[in-house]
Each structure stands twice: as structure tokens, then as C-alpha cells.
Amino acid sequence: MDDIENRILETAREAFIENGYTDTSMSDIAARLNINRPTLHYYFRTKDKLFQAVFGGILLSFVPRIKETVTQRQRSVGERVADIVDLYYMVFTDNPCLPSFVLREINRDVDHFVGTLEALHIDNYVQELKDSLQAEMNEGHIRQIPLCHLFYTFYGMLIVPFVTRPLVNKLYPIGDQLPELLEDWKKNIVSQITHMLEV
């Protein structure tokens, strides 16, 4: 990948996360880069292709590792959950506005969001995760619970510290203590999910 393509992806990532998919245009991205639109279109023919490239880069950097971690049945639930939280923390630390962006995009146009996941084949990883968890439940290795309850609990606990950070900082000034607070909060996530799943 050449330097201009890297610059396009980085600039587009910032623009999409800052303004959302709808309110970001190819002209906006070209202007930020100080290049013309034909140059931008040479690298990425459409905004959808650019959007997929940006978020494919982020998602594919960790989603396969989550699937790999979930399917390591020889490890305890707590160990697997702790590793998955660490993966998300790493991504959210590098992209702190990503959780808010994803929530906005889901509410703006869930079909476009899911279509992007399908275009990137992320839906295959999601299905494999669901199948693996359901198989463990069916075999009695973990407790039988609705997968949507697990989804709500895990992602609710995971993203609230990131999406509410400005409010929390106003109510309980945390300054630069977020990394320490997240490590403490991780224990709660691990404990709650372990309690839900362990037989």
C-alpha cells in the first residue's frame, strides 16, 4: 500500500468517525487531503468502497482473534472473556470514538451497517461465534442462556465507559485515570459474564 492510500484511509477514518457515513462526502475527504476528487476516486471508486476499506481494516484487525479466543474451549470462561475485553480495549484506545460511531450508524441505517459487515465477510465470523457458543451450551459446557442476553450484558458493560466518558468526567472527574479504571471495570465484566455462563 503506497503512502497516498494510507493517507486516504487515515483521513477517511477520521472523517467517518467524526461526521458519520451520511455526512461525510468524497469531496470532504479530498479537501482534507488537499487532493482532487479524480485522484481519490482512482484509489477508491465509491464512498462505500472507502468506508468498507476503513472499517475492514479496523474490524479485521481483531474480530478473527475474538473468534479464535471464544473457540478455545480448553480455557476457562473467565480467561477467554478477559482476553476478549483486552482486544476491545486495545481497539477502543486507538479509536476512542468508535463505539459512539457504531451506535450512531446502527441507529441511522442498520441495513447499511449490516451490509458493510456482509461485504467484509464479518458476518461469517459472527455466525461462527454464535454457533460455537450454542454448541458449548448444547453440550453442557456452559449454561444455556439466550445469546441476545449475553450480547446485551457483554457489550453494555464494555462500551458504556467509552460512550459516557465525557459525562463521567463531569460527574466524577477522572482526569488521566481512565486506563486504571478500565482495568478495574474489566474485572466486573469478567465476573458478570462468568457468572452468567459457568455451569
Side-chain angles (χ1 to χ4, degrees):
M1 191 180 299
D2 62 29
D3 183 56
I4 183 66
E5 189 169 348
N6 280 323
R7 286 176 53 224
I8 289 170
L9 289 170
E10 179 60 26
T11 302
R13 182 185 65 80
E14 292 169 0
F16 282 131
I17 289 177
E18 182 182 316
N19 301 318
Y21 176 84
T22 300
D23 293 332
T24 300
S25 70
M26 295 292 267
S27 295
D28 295 334
I29 295 166
R32 286 183 184 219
L33 286 160
N34 200 27
I35 62 174
N36 58 38
R37 279 189 60 170
T39 301
L40 180 56
H41 284 286
Y42 171 79
Y43 287 91
F44 298 97
R45 290 182 54 205
T46 66
K47 184 166 78 165
D48 261 350
K49 293 290 183 192
L50 181 53
F51 186 78
Q52 290 168 14
V54 167
F55 290 98
I58 295 172
L59 294 172
L60 292 170
S61 73
F62 73 99
V63 170
R65 292 165 65 191
I66 289 174
K67 189 212 72 162
E68 181 184 328
T69 302
V70 167
T71 56
Q72 292 173 344
R73 292 190 184 191
Q74 73 279 12
R75 302 178 68 215
S76 72
V77 169
E79 290 172 326
R80 289 185 278 173
V81 173
D83 283 355
I84 291 167
V85 172
D86 285 340
L87 282 169
Y88 275 107
Y89 277 5
M90 178 187 70
V91 173
F92 292 166
T93 298
D94 290 343
N95 304 276
C97 295
L98 185 62
S100 296
F101 168 80
V102 169
L103 291 177
R104 281 198 322 267
E105 289 301 304
I106 288 170
N107 285 292
R108 181 191 65 79
D109 186 346
V110 69
D111 291 330
H112 180 261
F113 182 81
V114 170
T116 300
L117 297 183
E118 289 171 348
L120 296 167
H121 307 293
I122 299 296
D123 58 319
N124 294 336
Y125 289 108
V126 173
Q127 189 59 53
E128 288 176 36
L129 282 170
K130 289 163 60 179
D131 291 345
S132 178
L133 287 166
Q134 193 61 61
E136 278 198 74
M137 289 178 187
N138 294 344
E139 293 163 19
H141 298 299
I142 57 177
R143 186 177 296 157
Q144 209 43 275
I145 64 167
L147 288 176
C148 64
H149 289 192
L150 181 61
F151 179 92
Y152 289 151
T153 304
F154 179 75
Y155 285 103
M157 295 185 77
L158 179 73
I159 68 171
V160 162
F162 293 92
V163 298
T164 62
R165 183 177 179 182
L167 176 62
V168 169
N169 212 18
K170 283 285 186 191
L171 297 175
Y172 319 99
I174 59 175
D176 58 0
Q177 297 173 13
L178 185 64
E180 293 84 0
L181 291 172
L182 288 175
E183 277 305 305
D184 283 343
W185 185 243
K186 181 173 85 170
K187 295 171 191 169
N188 292 320
I189 301 174
V190 172
S191 173
Q192 182 62 31
I193 300 301
T194 299
H195 176 72
M196 289 179 75
L197 290 179
E198 277 193 340
V199 180

